[in-house]
Amino acid sequence: MSLPFRTLLCATFLTALAACAEAPAPSAVPAPAAVPDRPLGDGGVSPFYQPPTNVPSSAGKMIRTEAIDGLHLPDHADHAERFLYTSVSGVGKAEPVVVSGQILFPQGTPPKGGWPIVSWEHGTTGIADVCAPSWRGYFSRDRAYLDRWLSAGFAVVASDYQGLGTPGPHPYLMYRPEGYSVLNALRATLAHYPDRLRNQIVLVGQSQGGGAALGSAWLAPRYAPDLRVIGVVATGVVTQFGLPAHPRHAPLPRSNTESPHMAAAFEILTTEGSRKSLRPDQDVDRFMTEKGHDLSRQARQACLGDLFRYTDSHDVTVENSFTGRSADVEAEYEQAFTIPDAHLAMPVFVGTGLADGEAGVSQQYNAVAAMCDAGTHVTWYRYHGLTHNGAVNPSANDSLPFVEALLKGKVAGSSCRTLTPVGHEEAATPGIHWNN
């Protein structure tokens, strides 16, 4: 797998970079004590996230819940709870694992049968436990986006994914651990809140979460046929499908225009998350320089915005941090990242900003083309001048009606008959919120 492909696989919260930036401390103020290293990114969260001594052997079981206090919730959220539940590992043996997540309840009284569910698959936050959304909350872009679904009468169930919040590495961008985490969160919450939730589910994700939503949709009929998944909404999609030998729509070359410093931040997440998940008995850090080791330590205790700030201020790039790759680990990762085929059993909405230089416009076309060729019903919206971040909220103007039609048994028109390749990435339109 080529290096550019590796560097683009992420959700990039540039707003987080600004939010996390801090003014330099006055020279008279002593520097803060160094934070101890956190192997596998573990630690820094409350005892709530610690698994019990005896973990239920079956997946999709609720372990505990608690009210979320002190985090900035979307305006139309009545309240929120974080929860701990059982899932199954998507790496190696299918062993029980404990995963965390949260549920956002809309305001008002549940309708008869309960609220339909938006299963929110979040984008890249990092690989450290402290980056779990149920612990640290959401950035303004995602709060505004989730608020659209809450105001429309959906409950939001959101897994943190395996290894975020809870012990162990986070298998970054690997569709099985993400998918098992998502589907078992739905099982656990449906059983725990039977009067408030309806088994009528839309998988909704952005960037890393777009790939997680599509991977969960592929797994659902095979792994969780008890869940009624009626559709998928994926924006800024980061994923790859297995292709037949001669696809009808030939894939376009991959492209992205992220900065070298951003690329290094994404690369370290793959190393600390995915490679260490796949090869826990192997020293995958042996291909790092001293700068790479420093960045690796940062990734185990900081989140994406902090990593962007660190790589930029310390001039860290992939080239000066990594000396090589293990071919065996790279082959394993590509297999773990790639959804075996592109046929999904439910309608799919894809939203792409044509100024998206991070997930890549051509890569998103390739995902849509693969699904169309495999017989998936795809509705594809493209947004001129909007970026990876900028397209998220405007896309809700189209995806919400798409989903509301599905609730009534109606399916929007397919884009597959008129599918044509996209051109070069566009320039970002200035003056649009989050369009950086």
Side-chain angles (χ1 to χ4, degrees), residues 90-91 171-179 208 273-275 277-278 333 336-337:
V91 186
Y172 181 54
L173 296 173
M174 294 164 58
Y175 80 93
R176 283 191 184 275
E178 291 172 342
Q208 175 190 4
S274 301
R275 296 185 181 109
S277 295
L278 291 166
Y333 174 75
F337 172 70

Side-chain angles (χ1 to χ4, degrees), residues 299-357:
R300 293 193 292 268
Q301 56 190 309
C303 301
L304 189 61
D306 296 310
L307 292 179
F308 287 159
R309 184 161 59 94
Y310 184 86
T311 55
D312 186 62
S313 62
H314 290 75
D315 188 28
V316 181
T317 66
V318 174
E319 287 70 23
N320 65 27
S321 300
F322 295 89
T323 60
R325 300 286 186 280
S326 166
D328 290 344
V329 177
E330 296 309 292
E332 285 184 40
Y333 174 75
E334 182 166 2
Q335 183 179 22
F337 172 70
T338 304
I339 301 171
D341 67 75
H343 179 71
L344 303 183
M346 64 289 293
V348 176
F349 174 101
V350 175
T352 299
L354 293 179
D356 187 343

Side-chain angles (χ1 to χ4, degrees), residues 68 80-83 100-104 133-134 138 156-160:
I68 295 180
E81 297 178 15
R82 62 174 58 93
F83 59 93
S100 58
Q102 64 182 301
I103 181 166
L104 306 175
S134 72
Y138 292 114
V156 176
V157 174
S159 173
D160 289 328

Side-chain angles (χ1 to χ4, degrees), residues 69-138:
D69 297 316
L71 295 182
H72 186 178
L73 300 179
D75 291 343
H76 287 87
D78 181 79
H79 68 285
E81 297 178 15
R82 62 174 58 93
F83 59 93
L84 206 65
Y85 65 100
T86 59
S87 186
V88 62
S89 176
V91 186
K93 295 180 180 179
E95 298 176 336
V97 294
V98 173
V99 183
S100 58
Q102 64 182 301
I103 181 166
L104 306 175
F105 291 100
Q107 296 172 355
T109 303
K112 185 178 179 179
W115 284 298
I117 299 172
V118 159
S119 173
W120 169 241
E121 282 72 73
H122 68 79
T124 302
T125 60
I127 56 88
D129 282 351
V130 294
C131 307
S134 72
W135 173 252
R136 71 193 306 267
Y138 292 114

Side-chain angles (χ1 to χ4, degrees), residues 24 36 52 74 77 87 92-93 114 128 150 169 176 178 200 223 237 245 263 300 367 374 382 402 413 428 434:
S87 186
K93 295 180 180 179
L150 289 163
R176 283 191 184 275
E178 291 172 342
Q200 196 170 32
Y223 177 73
V237 173
R300 293 193 292 268
R382 285 142 287 183
F402 171 87
W434 300 296

Side-chain angles (χ1 to χ4, degrees), residues 125-412:
T125 60
I127 56 88
D129 282 351
V130 294
C131 307
S134 72
W135 173 252
R136 71 193 306 267
Y138 292 114
F139 297 120
S140 60
R141 184 202 73 181
D142 291 340
R143 280 201 307 273
Y145 182 71
L146 294 177
D147 199 55
R148 293 288 299 273
W149 295 102
L150 289 163
S151 65
F154 291 86
V156 176
V157 174
S159 173
D160 289 328
Y161 308 144
Q162 180 179 333
L164 276 179
T166 51
H170 168 47
Y172 181 54
L173 296 173
M174 294 164 58
Y175 80 93
R176 283 191 184 275
E178 291 172 342
Y180 293 152
S181 297
V182 166
L183 298 172
N184 284 313
L186 291 165
R187 283 169 161 163
T189 51
L190 280 166
H192 194 73
Y193 307 100
D195 298 329
R196 287 187 274 176
L197 300 181
R198 183 192 313 168
N199 190 356
Q200 196 170 32
I201 301 159
V202 183
L203 302 169
V204 181
Q206 153 69 7
S207 197
Q208 175 190 4
L214 293 170
S216 300
W218 187 84
L219 285 167
R222 300 162 172 81
Y223 177 73
D226 50 305
L227 297 176
R228 188 185 173 209
V229 178
I230 64 172
V232 180
V233 173
T235 58
V237 173
V238 175
T239 197
Q240 177 172 284
F241 290 104
L243 299 177
H246 303 287
R248 186 161 62 91
H249 293 89
L252 298 177
R254 298 183 179 277
S255 64
N256 65 296
T257 56
E258 66 194 8
S259 75
H261 298 136
M262 290 171 64
F266 302 145
E267 180 70 9
I268 201 66
L269 297 181
T270 307
T271 296
E272 287 293 324
S274 301
R275 296 185 181 109
K276 287 192 175 179
S277 295
L278 291 166
R279 292 292 183 95
D281 58 339
Q282 190 177 104
D283 180 16
V284 298
D285 295 349
R286 69 187 186 278
F287 296 109
M288 291 182 188
T289 66
E290 192 59 37
K291 276 198 170 188
H293 286 298
D294 288 342
L295 181 59
S296 183
R297 184 177 180 278
Q298 293 294 320
R300 293 193 292 268
Q301 56 190 309
C303 301
L304 189 61
D306 296 310
L307 292 179
F308 287 159
R309 184 161 59 94
Y310 184 86
T311 55
D312 186 62
S313 62
H314 290 75
D315 188 28
V316 181
T317 66
V318 174
E319 287 70 23
N320 65 27
S321 300
F322 295 89
T323 60
R325 300 286 186 280
S326 166
D328 290 344
V329 177
E330 296 309 292
E332 285 184 40
Y333 174 75
E334 182 166 2
Q335 183 179 22
F337 172 70
T338 304
I339 301 171
D341 67 75
H343 179 71
L344 303 183
M346 64 289 293
V348 176
F349 174 101
V350 175
T352 299
L354 293 179
D356 187 343
E358 299 160 31
V361 174
S362 62
Q363 290 91 312
Q364 295 183 63
Y365 163 81
N366 290 344
V368 171
M371 287 189 284
C372 285
D373 290 354
T376 302
H377 187 103
V378 184
T379 301
W380 188 27
Y381 277 81
R382 285 142 287 183
Y383 302 97
H384 290 286
L386 297 186
T387 64
H388 195 65
N389 289 319
V392 177
N393 280 281
S395 72
N397 296 328
D398 302 307
S399 59
L400 188 53
F402 171 87
V403 170
E404 288 173 334
L406 292 179
L407 292 175
K408 298 175 183 177
K410 300 177 182 178
V411 180

